[in-house]
Amino acid sequence: MTASGRRLTQQDIARMAGVSQTTVSLVLNGRAEGEVRISPETRDRVLQVIRETGYVADPAARRLVERRNRIYGVFTYEAVFPAESADFYHPFLVGIEECVEEAGCDLLLFTSAKAQQGERRRIFSAESRIRLADGCILLGRTIDREDLSRLLSEGIPFVSVGRRDDAGGPVPYVGADYPPAVRALVERAAALGHRRMAYVGAGQGPESYADRLRGFAEGVAAAGAEGLHLTTADGLFDCGATVVFAEELADGVAIAEAARARGLDVPRDLSIVALGAPTRPVSTDIDFAGFRIPRREMGRRAVELLTHVLERGDVPQELLVCELVEGSTLASPA
């Protein structure tokens, strides 16, 4: 503010620094224009005046120059704040918020895309405000392919958290590299002497489920073991498997409880491997063997990749390593 209470302008800064208003604008936006070159001394003088006066560039003017709002959006296909999902999504959101703050941008959570009864949220609706943000990060185990296709065709910048199959073109994403993590766990089970292994879970639908099952099948084949795929735990205790790979941690808990109810010891009579963090409400103190999904790191990297999309127009696709967890539920069979 000036002594009269008037908001400072670039013209005021230029006058105090003894430079032109164009020079102030170029310094603020961190670039040169045409053949104009700003000496380090001049740049330092302008920045010193800005620091001393506490000047803040007019947001509207800054947006016109950059053609960006410096707002990153987050669209979630499932509610992320109810207690049953908070534990799973919280690390993603922490990573996103941290990185957006470091970038000096604001974060906008889109909540207006109401789902009809029995249907999932959709990005595009009569109330969609997705274009308010410079770009958007998509969160959800399953993301609508029509939404992805339209985002790509309309050139709306976005990055998906989680690997996605092509949707009329390659989809920018950062995901967890599930197949090698599951293969490593199968290899560990085989080294302990397990020859008949079961996978319990859908193994299809979300790409993350398909990736887990693919890793299991590849690991079993490489180990020369026998692998069974059961979509539910029905029949598990009659199939002769000595180790079970549970797609969902909640299923692992249910299997452990059912095994103990039958008088079976975990892991001596039945080993259990949980393939990831809980996505459904479950309470347990079991220290499962498995792996850690790098959720916080994925959130941070999604922001960094969205910045690349905005600045370069490329289509980044990255998978982050899952850290194996030894746990206490995988041991040699009796």
Side-chain angles (χ1 to χ4, degrees), residues 59-93:
R62 191 69 176 268
R63 287 197 298 269
L64 286 173
V65 173
E66 296 182 349
R67 296 185 180 179
R68 289 173 58 183
N69 293 320
R70 300 190 67 77
I71 296 174
Y72 283 12
V74 174
F75 182 90
T76 66
Y77 279 83
E78 296 120 22
V80 296
F81 293 117
E84 60 266 24
S85 61
D87 287 346
F88 182 71
Y89 284 111
H90 182 257
F92 292 116
L93 295 171

Side-chain angles (χ1 to χ4, degrees), residues 29-77:
N29 291 289
R31 64 185 187 189
E33 185 175 274
E35 298 300 319
V36 177
R37 294 293 180 267
I38 302 172
S39 70
E41 295 79 9
T42 299
R43 184 182 302 275
D44 290 344
R45 190 163 70 251
V46 172
L47 292 175
Q48 180 64 29
V49 171
I50 290 171
R51 283 192 294 270
E52 290 175 351
T53 60
Y55 171 77
V56 177
D58 178 66
R62 191 69 176 268
R63 287 197 298 269
L64 286 173
V65 173
E66 296 182 349
R67 296 185 180 179
R68 289 173 58 183
N69 293 320
R70 300 190 67 77
I71 296 174
Y72 283 12
V74 174
F75 182 90
T76 66
Y77 279 83

Side-chain angles (χ1 to χ4, degrees), residues 88 141 163 176-183 186 199-204 206-219 245-249 274-279 291-293 322:
F88 182 71
R141 284 187 293 277
R163 187 189 71 78
D177 202 0
Y178 295 117
V182 180
R183 286 197 302 267
V186 171
Y199 179 101
V200 173
Q204 61 182 353
E207 287 87 344
S208 59
Y209 289 172
D211 288 349
R212 286 171 167 89
L213 180 58
R214 176 161 57 89
F216 174 78
E218 292 171 350
F245 292 76
E247 189 176 78
E248 288 278 355
L249 187 139
L275 303 179
T279 60
F291 56 74
R292 183 185 72 85
I293 302 171
C322 296

